[in-house]
Amino acid sequence: MFDLTAIDFSLADWIIFVVAGVFTGIINTLAGSGSLITLPIFILICGLPAPVANGTNRIGVLVQGVVGIRGFWKNGQLPLEGIGWLIVPTVIGASLGALVAVDLDEKGMNLAIGILMVFMLGVMLINPKRWIRVSQPDPSRNKHPLTLFIFLLIGFYGGFIQAGVGIFLLAGLVLIAKLDLGKANGVKLLLVFVFNLPALLIFIMENQVHFMFGTLMAIFQAIGAYLGVRFVAKVPNANIWIHRLLVVIVAISALKFLGPYDYVLSLITE
């Protein structure tokens, strides 16, 4: 498929690349924001420009999505009733987000997202029972105009940068569509997969995809996605553990988008 000898990686680079791929596959399956790891890997280790890293990242997202969706479906954790109402606005939003990705002020957007992540952290810590309860979905809520608008915005953000979109999708699916976290993760992967198809196509047309690095990372992310699905299916009280992981990931995401994460990363890599 491609020549591995063409990749100028040290042993340490390979270890970081492989571990990051598997770990982000697990994170993206159980929570989200794994792109906060893969994007720096593509930029710092692979040497890709940020726009190309953003496009390349979509390959792994799609591949791990296929593995995760299949696993959730086999384990009865993928409710599909009424999901079409959520797919349409997220796909439209993601297509628009990908089209304008190059032109937006990334610094200003990161600040806004960081503040939103801090708010999201508060939402998750106040009355956490809303997140860990086991309940039946309410498909009728998916048709509400406000729900459609919210998922349009989430799709737009996912098409723009991807990192963190899983957190927003889970919030919408749990708090609005009333899915429990296990089933919400399955639906989240389905939505992310569908809206990333047109987004990846747009990045390919703009020549912002490195297929070799993207495919290689996707292999390890698929392994992580498989492990993540097994966790949801086999571990008792998985919702509680997923909620705890979400709190940690949202806190890290807030640090990333508000700046301290990049400062710490620069100290480590210097």
Side-chain angles (χ1 to χ4, degrees):
M1 184 168 51
F2 46 73
D3 183 10
L4 292 179
T5 61
I7 302 178
D8 186 22
F9 277 4
S10 66
L11 177 59
D13 290 337
W14 275 114
I15 293 174
I16 294 172
F17 193 91
V18 172
V19 172
V22 175
F23 189 55
T24 54
I26 295 172
I27 288 177
N28 282 334
T29 303
L30 296 181
S33 290
S35 296
L36 296 176
I37 298 173
T38 52
L39 286 176
I41 294 296
F42 283 135
I43 294 170
L44 298 176
I45 293 181
C46 301
L48 301 181
V52 179
N54 189 18
T56 302
N57 188 52
R58 310 302 170 120
I59 298 177
V61 170
L62 287 174
V63 173
Q64 73 184 16
V66 172
V67 175
I69 291 166
R70 180 177 180 273
F72 279 109
W73 173 259
K74 287 180 62 177
N75 288 293
Q77 295 283 326
L78 185 59
L80 296 178
E81 185 180 358
I83 298 304
W85 288 96
L86 304 181
I87 289 177
V88 173
T90 52
V91 169
I92 294 174
S95 301
L96 295 174
L99 285 171
V100 302
V102 180
D103 300 324
L104 288 183
D105 179 5
E106 184 177 353
K107 184 176 180 180
M109 187 171 186
N110 283 350
L111 177 61
I113 295 168
I115 294 172
L116 185 57
M117 284 289 182
V118 172
F119 172 77
M120 186 70 68
L121 184 61
V123 171
M124 296 184 68
L125 292 176
I126 298 174
N127 192 13
K129 291 182 179 179
R130 294 178 299 173
W131 292 82
I132 62 178
R133 74 195 186 318
V134 177
S135 60
Q136 292 299 316
D138 183 3
S140 64
R141 300 173 68 94
N142 299 347
K143 304 177 184 181
H144 194 281
L146 181 59
T147 302
L148 299 177
F149 179 69
I150 289 173
F151 278 85
L152 177 72
L153 293 180
I154 295 174
F156 180 88
Y157 169 69
F160 176 75
I161 199 170
Q162 179 66 37
V165 68
I167 303 296
F168 298 131
L169 282 172
L170 283 179
L173 292 168
V174 171
L175 301 179
I176 298 175
K178 300 301 180 182
L179 291 168
D180 64 64
L181 272 173
K183 293 182 176 64
N185 268 306
V187 176
K188 175 203 70 181
L189 289 177
L190 177 61
L191 292 175
V192 170
F193 176 82
V194 174
F195 78 62
N196 262 295
L197 289 172
L200 177 60
L201 179 61
I202 290 170
F203 283 111
I204 291 174
M205 293 173 61
E206 294 295 325
N207 197 29
Q208 293 186 352
V209 175
H210 193 293
F211 286 97
M212 182 167 60
F213 286 135
T215 305
L216 189 59
M217 180 65 79
I219 293 172
F220 302 116
Q221 287 181 274
I223 295 172
Y226 172 78
L227 296 175
V229 172
R230 286 186 63 84
F231 176 87
V232 174
K234 303 296 184 182
V235 175
N237 298 318
N239 284 350
I240 296 175
W241 288 102
I242 294 171
H243 178 261
R244 292 170 180 172
L245 177 62
L246 272 172
V247 170
V248 173
I249 296 299
V250 170
I252 294 174
S253 299
L255 291 175
K256 162 63 180 174
F257 286 112
L258 292 176
Y261 175 95
D262 289 330
Y263 175 71
V264 173
L265 185 63
S266 68
L267 294 178
I268 296 173
T269 55
E270 283 181 357

